[in-house]
Amino acid sequence: MFAHQPVLADAVLASFAPVETLLAEHSGGGLLIDCTLGGGGHSALLLEAHPGLRLIGLDQDPSARTAAAERLAPFGDRVTIVATNFADHRPSEPALAVLADLGVSSPQLDVAGRGFSFRAEGPLDMRMNPEAGETAAALLDRLEEGALADLIYGYGEERLSRRIARRIKEQGPWNDPARPRTTAELAWLVGGCYPPAARRGRLHPATRTFQALRIAVNDELGVLGRWLEQVPDWLRPGGLLGVISFHSLEDRLVKTAFLRDERLERVTRKPLVAAAEEAEANPRSRSAKFRVARRRP
């Protein structure tokens, strides 16, 4: 079941409210591109708020597309869903609004078979598109110890990266079909690299390592960088671009692009974050940062 509560829903609706003015200036309606459709939560809210919008929703996850199609069915032919990584998309017309909610959705984390999380034991997969690409297990076996340590430090900002990489390589192989390895095994190994007192914090010791592997498996920062270079050209003059990120590496890329790209004008000087009530009700929102820019004339 792909039930997903969209984060920062009020902030997204408020920040995209000027779309209504843009719609009034363009007869025949306008286009919204949701680059990370997920379960369709943000898109449903925006389509309901702005009846003149049509949606192109992008997602490489088959389960997400199925769930979004069901959720967005009431909007009929206003909705088109495309199976693609958002950096590979080329819109056929300029959009009034583009939204990207980066990172892994709660349903992906909660399905053990996807291998994103150590909360439920599953295979070491971590692919956003489960039908293509290298799994996390294959990546662990392919990389030399030094390269693996650099990856865990660079993408996870993990200070014990060298100790963790050494233990991972000592305990391999991880991609042997005759001896399937699991997320729980890897999490236990990483936790054992920490002193006992450091294992009891709010953040699980394996969190940063799992983040680093997921980013590498899906080339998340490379994809985001390529998309940020092209996405201003997806927008009509005055069109809005909103990006929700969940860790500092993503947010830094978005902030830099919004500052340096001459095609864009920042709408939010500082990122919008969840109010206390939302953070309490939806823990995933606690790390969310929402930045908005406008396409210059």
Side-chain angles (χ1 to χ4, degrees):
M1 178 64 180
F2 204 104
H4 177 47
Q5 181 180 357
V7 301
L8 302 179
D10 290 342
V12 169
L13 284 172
S15 297
F16 278 29
V19 164
E20 201 60 31
T21 301
L22 296 173
L23 283 166
E25 298 171 356
H26 297 89
S27 60
L31 178 63
L32 162 68
I33 302 177
D34 188 338
C35 295
T36 49
L37 185 60
H42 287 118
S43 287
L45 292 171
L46 290 166
L47 289 173
E48 185 175 1
H50 305 287
L53 281 179
R54 292 170 285 107
L55 169 72
I56 292 179
L58 315 176
D59 209 295
Q60 59 185 335
D61 186 330
S63 61
R65 296 195 302 273
T66 299
E70 182 176 343
R71 184 164 189 173
L72 299 173
F75 300 101
D77 59 7
R78 293 172 62 196
V79 173
T80 302
I81 298 176
V82 181
T84 186
N85 183 303
F86 59 82
D88 296 330
H89 183 66
R90 298 295 182 270
S92 59
E93 63 176 287
L96 297 185
V98 176
L99 176 67
D101 176 358
L102 306 174
V104 183
S105 68
S106 299
Q108 289 169 323
L109 289 171
D110 293 340
V111 175
R114 301 299 299 275
F116 284 110
S117 175
F118 41 77
R119 294 182 300 192
E121 189 166 17
L124 285 165
D125 194 315
M126 302 193 189
R127 292 172 296 171
M128 296 284 192
N129 180 357
E131 300 171 353
E134 182 180 48
T135 66
L139 178 71
L140 292 177
D141 285 352
R142 178 172 61 81
L143 292 181
E144 298 292 336
E145 180 182 318
L148 180 58
D150 290 344
L151 185 153
I152 294 171
Y153 181 79
Y155 290 166
E157 300 177 297
E158 170 56 74
R159 60 186 179 83
L160 299 181
S161 61
R162 301 211 172 278
R163 183 183 305 173
I164 292 168
R166 183 167 61 251
R167 288 288 304 279
I168 288 174
K169 298 304 290 187
E170 288 173 353
Q171 297 299 317
W174 294 88
N175 194 40
D176 182 358
R179 186 194 171 200
R181 311 294 292 274
T182 69
T183 54
E185 286 183 79
L186 181 60
W188 179 263
L189 179 149
V190 174
C193 295
Y194 275 72
R199 301 173 197 167
R200 296 189 290 270
R202 184 179 66 83
L203 196 69
H204 190 286
T207 299
R208 296 183 184 88
T209 296
F210 270 64
Q211 172 185 296
L213 293 175
R214 191 203 75 225
I215 289 173
V217 164
N218 297 288
D219 188 26
E220 291 178 25
L221 298 182
V223 167
L224 178 58
R226 293 194 299 275
W227 176 74
L228 286 168
E229 289 177 358
Q230 62 180 277
V231 70
D233 290 332
W234 292 12
L235 290 162
R236 289 185 181 274
L240 294 168
L241 170 61
V243 184
I244 302 172
S245 60
F246 290 89
H247 57 76
S248 60
L249 300 174
E250 290 175 337
D251 183 58
R252 198 174 303 139
L253 281 175
V254 175
K255 177 183 178 180
T256 299
F258 283 11
L259 274 170
R260 295 182 179 175
D261 197 310
E262 295 181 353
R263 296 167 293 179
L264 297 175
E265 174 189 7
R266 285 187 300 166
V267 174
T268 52
R269 297 288 169 176
K270 294 184 178 181
L272 304 177
V273 298
E277 296 81 3
E278 180 181 2
E280 180 67 25
N282 183 5
R284 183 173 179 266
S285 69
R286 294 172 187 168
S287 58
K289 294 182 177 180
F290 182 42
R291 294 185 185 271
V292 183
R294 181 185 294 109
R295 173 65 198 255
R296 295 182 187 273

